[in-house]
Amino acid sequence: MGSLRPRSGGATEPDARTRILDAAEKLFAGGGYEATPTAEIARLAQVPKGLVFHYFPRKIDVLVALIDERTLVEEVPEVEAVPGDAAKSLSRLARRLPLRASPAMRRILFREADTHGSVRDRLGRLNGEIVRRARFALELALPTRRGDAARLEVAAVTFAAVLLHQENLCQLTGHHIDPDAVAELIAHALG
Amino acid sequence: MGSLRPRSGGATEPDARTRILDAAEKLFAGGGYEATPTAEIARLAQVPKGLVFHYFPRKIDVLVALIDERTLVEEVPEVEAVPGDAAKSLSRLARRLPLRASPAMRRILFREADTHGSVRDRLGRLNGEIVRRARFALELALPTRRGDAARLEVAAVTFAAVLLHQENLCQLTGHHIDPDAVAELIAHALG
Amino acid sequence: MGSLRPRSGGATEPDARTRILDAAEKLFAGGGYEATPTAEIARLAQVPKGLVFHYFPRKIDVLVALIDERTLVEEVPEVEAVPGDAAKSLSRLARRLPLRASPAMRRILFREADTHGSVRDRLGRLNGEIVRRARFALELALPTRRGDAARLEVAAVTFAAVLLHQENLCQLTGHHIDPDAVAELIAHALG
Amino acid sequence: MGSLRPRSGGATEPDARTRILDAAEKLFAGGGYEATPTAEIARLAQVPKGLVFHYFPRKIDVLVALIDERTLVEEVPEVEAVPGDAAKSLSRLARRLPLRASPAMRRILFREADTHGSVRDRLGRLNGEIVRRARFALELALPTRRGDAARLEVAAVTFAAVLLHQENLCQLTGHHIDPDAVAELIAHALG
DNA sequence: GATGAATGAGAATTCATTCAT
DNA sequence: TATGAATGAATTCTCATTCAT
């Protein structure tokens, strides 16, 4: 499990709070937030039950802390787009979503979107950021023509939809999408 | 709530089993499966608690019955596509997903995809059917060119992603997608 | 399962009441009276749940009927003892307990002795009858000596204990007793 | 009720776990395991319902703990037999069964033999130990003769049967056995 | 900070029994 | 006589949360 917080480095055993979050991350990703008892978090974290509530007074605080500390939507100004090559720019975006989070945290992010506002918000910001980057990449790649703004926006939104759809439902339904091919398709549509 | 089962027509009060499913549909869509106690289903359905278990021995059976009886993925051979007009064909598909289910059932379908295999399966079939129809629509609309099969497939998959993404996450994140615009974009990409 | 009631002979399917008792016999012997739901009796008997209560208004009536109709302690005057051969007489008794009941009913008889007075009574009568027969066998077999009445009684009671212990606990604990050897031992003690 | 665990001595109120086992011991002996609700155990123990499940996650664990902690089959090498006096040796054995358990626990041991394997095992070991001791007592008491091993074994098994039969069924059927008289009978048979 | 016993509301499920048909 | 839906109290078990130490 990936933490965004610096851990006490080397071979040291992570501290109790970290172990609790590690356990919750695994369990929430597996069975879901509602179906995971705090007692099981404690057991897996190898901490006494009471300690979970010492760090996280209510169960929901564990989820909030996970989202807060272990997912990061990268909203940096500089986006690595390839000027003049829309397809390549989108492919890059696909290969490296502006989301720093472990696979488990990604599952939680999508799965528990209904559970708490903070999760939903994070997901919304991720979507927004992907759209923003896709838009930027396309703007940078394409010769500026008038009247293209709307179409470019649609392309960006579409690409974001494909990426998030893949992250979320494709894993469940077993379908597969090749983002590179989609990138090329979209680039072609705008070209 | 929409039932695929024929109800006892007219103003007759629906029978107990139907009322239970009606109540479950509303509650699962609202608070989610795990967070909904069977007692609340019974209360809303105005039946004694025991009757819920008379019809559905375990709680999960209520969810399975809902998916089973109140969602239908239309897998019919004839698809109404407009020959020669890819964009219009896709737009039509967007306007009428091959999914017969109430808005509440749609919410349940996406929300509880992790909860039980039967939900996941249904969702997978929905995705598959949308892809199939999009593919068919595009094949019918476009002049047959060699080597385009792959690109056409990508277009179909992309369109399906957009539609399902809209049904699922757009409602949560507050973003919006105009399927018609996406349809046009894709048609243009293949045109 | 053995019924003491005459069944409708030949290959005819037994009637509902009989099937209910057949099912109860098997289930009570297997899991015990308390742990057997009436619904399961109905299921195994392949009769609707309501019919069980038609024939047996309360659940305990099923057990009482079983004991009543499917166990018989033979309290007949004529006992086949071998005059002059105590060991042989006891052996015969062991080989044919004065209890007409299927193995399942025997299990129920011992297992549910605490559950209802009628079961306890039947068991008491069985014990009494075995003692009576053992006593009779020994009296018949042995030359009448004064002062031996008490010892003979002890022998009879001992033999009954061995037989019932075997029927009851030996089956559970996996131990084994050879009644013939015990018969010989006792005969020797009195000889 | 006798506990094999050391209690907090003196007039101190026993702790919650002990009170739960005390209550269960009384209730299981009275009405039987199946017929005793955990809620009644809690009530009698004067602890909240939840605490029963804190210590014993499933109801059966209460029974298992009782058997485990409150019955002990004494399997010690040294057996106090009276050399040369078989009858007396057996009488001693009868007077002090190698079973450390309260009368209530004895009732539970025999009554719930079908309920759980652990009970059955304990009962089996008790039977085995009694046989072993009876055998030892007789070996010690009797002059060693050839070919008597089998008869001695039968005698031991018989005596064990009588003792356990008395503990178990005699209480139910109302019959009575005088172990001393049986001891004498057996001694006489081997004498 | 750490701990695990304690709490009790409430969850799922069971089940004997009733009853209208 | 036959049926299975209906009932609701009771039962086992869960679990977030508190709290004394």
Side-chain angles (χ1 to χ4, degrees):
Chain A
M1 277 141 293
S3 168
L4 297 176
R5 278 199 169 179
R7 299 251 185 88
S8 34
T12 323
E13 172 86 339
D15 61 26
R17 190 177 181 281
T18 302
R19 291 212 308 280
I20 290 169
L21 289 178
D22 287 347
E25 182 178 335
K26 182 179 276 184
L27 293 169
F28 289 171
Y33 170 81
E34 295 276 9
T36 301
T38 54
E40 205 181 336
I41 298 175
R43 203 178 314 130
L44 185 58
Q46 303 204 7
V47 302
K49 218 181 342 179
L51 199 55
V52 175
F53 286 90
H54 177 70
Y55 287 114
F56 309 99
R58 285 159 313 138
K59 186 188 173 189
I60 192 67
D61 296 330
V62 180
L63 178 60
V64 172
L66 278 178
I67 294 294
D68 224 48
E69 301 172 19
R70 298 195 173 183
T71 72
L72 178 64
V73 176
E74 291 168 346
E75 290 160 322
V76 288
E78 68 288 351
V79 173
E80 25 159 347
V82 187
D85 192 338
K88 202 166 189 181
S89 296
L90 292 182
S91 281
R92 274 196 184 170
L93 176 54
R95 212 156 294 128
R96 192 159 152 349
L97 282 193
L99 171 66
R100 292 179 56 186
S102 67
M105 282 309 308
R106 287 161 190 244
R107 196 81 274 280
I108 292 172
L109 197 59
F110 288 99
R111 184 173 195 175
E112 304 301 340
D114 286 286
T115 306
H116 197 260
S118 65
V119 188
R120 202 155 43 244
D121 288 351
R122 195 58 58 107
L123 197 57
R125 277 165 69 178
L126 175 59
N127 192 39
E129 180 64 16
I130 295 178
V131 171
R132 202 176 67 79
R133 290 186 179 214
R135 191 192 302 128
F136 179 74
L138 293 173
E139 278 169 353
L140 206 67
L142 298 171
T144 318
R145 282 181 253 165
R146 291 164 236 81
D148 276 0
R151 163 162 292 182
L152 194 144
E153 183 67 20
V154 169
V157 163
T158 297
F159 198 64
V162 167
L163 294 188
L164 293 184
H165 180 74
Q166 190 187 27
E167 276 283 323
N168 183 18
L169 290 184
C170 283
Q171 297 187 15
L172 290 174
T173 61
H175 289 85
H176 189 70
I177 300 184
D178 174 11
D180 291 346
V182 177
E184 216 170 311
L185 182 84
I186 287 177
H188 195 253
L190 297 176
Chain B
M1 279 137 289
S3 169
L4 296 177
R5 278 199 168 181
R7 298 250 185 89
S8 36
T12 322
E13 173 84 339
D15 63 23
R17 189 176 182 280
T18 303
R19 291 209 310 280
I20 290 169
L21 290 178
D22 287 347
E25 182 177 335
K26 182 178 280 185
L27 292 168
F28 289 172
Y33 170 82
E34 295 277 10
T36 301
T38 53
E40 205 180 334
I41 298 175
R43 202 180 316 128
L44 185 59
Q46 297 197 324
V47 300
K49 232 183 340 174
L51 197 56
V52 175
F53 289 93
H54 176 66
Y55 287 110
F56 308 101
R58 288 159 310 144
K59 186 188 173 188
I60 192 67
D61 295 331
V62 180
L63 178 60
V64 171
L66 277 178
I67 293 295
D68 222 48
E69 299 172 19
R70 298 196 172 183
T71 71
L72 179 64
V73 175
E74 291 168 347
E75 289 164 331
V76 287
E78 68 291 349
V79 173
E80 25 159 347
V82 188
D85 191 340
K88 201 167 190 181
S89 295
L90 292 183
S91 282
R92 272 195 187 173
L93 176 54
R95 213 156 293 131
R96 194 162 153 343
L97 284 193
L99 172 64
R100 290 179 59 186
S102 67
M105 282 310 307
R106 286 164 189 242
R107 196 80 275 277
I108 292 172
L109 195 59
F110 287 99
R111 184 173 195 174
E112 306 300 341
D114 286 285
T115 307
H116 196 261
S118 65
V119 188
R120 200 158 42 246
D121 287 353
R122 196 56 60 106
L123 202 54
R125 280 168 68 178
L126 176 59
N127 191 41
E129 180 63 17
I130 294 179
V131 170
R132 201 177 67 79
R133 290 185 178 215
R135 192 192 303 125
F136 180 75
L138 293 174
E139 279 169 352
L140 207 69
L142 297 172
T144 319
R145 282 181 255 165
R146 297 159 232 82
D148 276 0
R151 164 162 290 183
L152 195 145
E153 184 68 21
V154 169
V157 163
T158 298
F159 198 64
V162 167
L163 293 187
L164 293 182
H165 180 74
Q166 190 188 24
E167 276 283 325
N168 183 16
L169 290 184
C170 282
Q171 298 186 15
L172 290 174
T173 59
H175 290 83
H176 189 71
I177 301 184
D178 176 11
D180 290 347
V182 177
E184 216 169 313
L185 183 82
I186 288 177
H188 194 254
L190 299 175
Chain C
M1 278 138 293
S3 169
L4 297 176
R5 279 198 168 179
R7 298 253 185 89
S8 35
T12 322
E13 172 84 339
D15 62 27
R17 190 177 181 281
T18 303
R19 290 211 309 279
I20 290 169
L21 290 178
D22 286 348
E25 182 177 336
K26 181 178 278 185
L27 293 168
F28 289 172
Y33 170 82
E34 296 276 11
T36 301
T38 53
E40 204 179 337
I41 298 175
R43 202 178 316 130
L44 185 59
Q46 301 203 14
V47 302
K49 217 183 340 179
L51 200 56
V52 174
F53 286 90
H54 176 71
Y55 288 114
F56 309 99
R58 286 160 313 138
K59 187 189 173 189
I60 192 67
D61 296 331
V62 180
L63 179 60
V64 172
L66 277 178
I67 294 295
D68 223 49
E69 300 173 19
R70 298 195 172 184
T71 71
L72 179 64
V73 176
E74 291 169 345
E75 289 159 320
V76 288
E78 68 286 354
V79 172
E80 25 160 345
V82 187
D85 191 337
K88 203 168 188 179
S89 296
L90 292 181
S91 280
R92 273 196 186 170
L93 176 54
R95 211 156 295 129
R96 194 159 148 353
L97 281 193
L99 172 65
R100 292 179 56 186
S102 67
M105 282 309 308
R106 287 161 190 244
R107 195 81 275 277
I108 292 171
L109 197 59
F110 288 100
R111 184 174 195 174
E112 306 300 340
D114 286 286
T115 306
H116 198 258
S118 65
V119 188
R120 201 156 43 244
D121 288 353
R122 195 57 58 107
L123 196 56
R125 280 166 66 179
L126 175 59
N127 191 39
E129 179 64 16
I130 294 179
V131 170
R132 203 177 67 79
R133 292 186 176 213
R135 190 192 303 126
F136 179 76
L138 293 173
E139 278 169 352
L140 207 69
L142 297 172
T144 316
R145 285 181 250 163
R146 292 164 236 80
D148 276 359
R151 164 164 290 184
L152 194 144
E153 184 68 20
V154 168
V157 163
T158 296
F159 197 64
V162 167
L163 293 188
L164 292 184
H165 180 73
Q166 191 187 25
E167 275 284 323
N168 184 16
L169 290 183
C170 283
Q171 297 187 15
L172 290 174
T173 60
H175 289 85
H176 189 71
I177 301 184
D178 175 12
D180 290 347
V182 177
E184 217 170 310
L185 183 83
I186 287 176
H188 194 254
L190 298 176
Chain D
M1 276 139 293
S3 168
L4 295 177
R5 278 197 169 182
R7 296 252 186 90
S8 34
T12 321
E13 173 83 338
D15 63 25
R17 189 177 182 281
T18 303
R19 291 210 310 279
I20 290 169
L21 289 178
D22 287 347
E25 182 177 338
K26 182 177 280 184
L27 293 167
F28 289 172
Y33 171 81
E34 295 276 9
T36 301
T38 53
E40 205 180 335
I41 298 175
R43 201 179 317 128
L44 184 59
Q46 297 197 325
V47 301
K49 234 182 339 171
L51 198 55
V52 175
F53 289 93
H54 176 67
Y55 286 110
F56 309 101
R58 288 159 311 143
K59 187 188 173 187
I60 191 68
D61 295 330
V62 180
L63 178 61
V64 172
L66 277 178
I67 293 296
D68 223 49
E69 300 173 18
R70 299 195 172 183
T71 71
L72 178 64
V73 176
E74 289 168 349
E75 288 164 331
V76 288
E78 68 289 352
V79 173
E80 25 158 347
V82 187
D85 190 338
K88 201 168 190 180
S89 295
L90 292 182
S91 282
R92 273 195 186 171
L93 176 53
R95 212 155 295 129
R96 194 162 151 345
L97 282 192
L99 172 65
R100 291 180 58 186
S102 66
M105 282 309 307
R106 285 163 191 243
R107 195 78 276 277
I108 293 172
L109 196 59
F110 288 100
R111 183 173 195 174
E112 307 300 341
D114 285 286
T115 308
H116 197 261
S118 65
V119 189
R120 198 156 46 246
D121 287 353
R122 196 56 59 106
L123 202 54
R125 279 168 69 177
L126 176 59
N127 192 38
E129 179 64 16
I130 294 179
V131 170
R132 200 177 69 80
R133 290 184 177 217
R135 191 192 302 125
F136 179 76
L138 293 173
E139 280 169 352
L140 207 69
L142 298 172
T144 317
R145 282 180 257 165
R146 297 162 232 76
D148 276 358
R151 165 162 290 183
L152 195 143
E153 184 68 21
V154 169
V157 162
T158 298
F159 196 64
V162 167
L163 293 188
L164 293 182
H165 180 73
Q166 190 188 25
E167 275 282 325
N168 183 16
L169 290 183
C170 283
Q171 298 186 16
L172 290 174
T173 59
H175 289 84
H176 190 71
I177 301 183
D178 175 11
D180 289 348
V182 177
E184 218 170 309
L185 183 83
I186 288 177
H188 193 253
L190 298 176

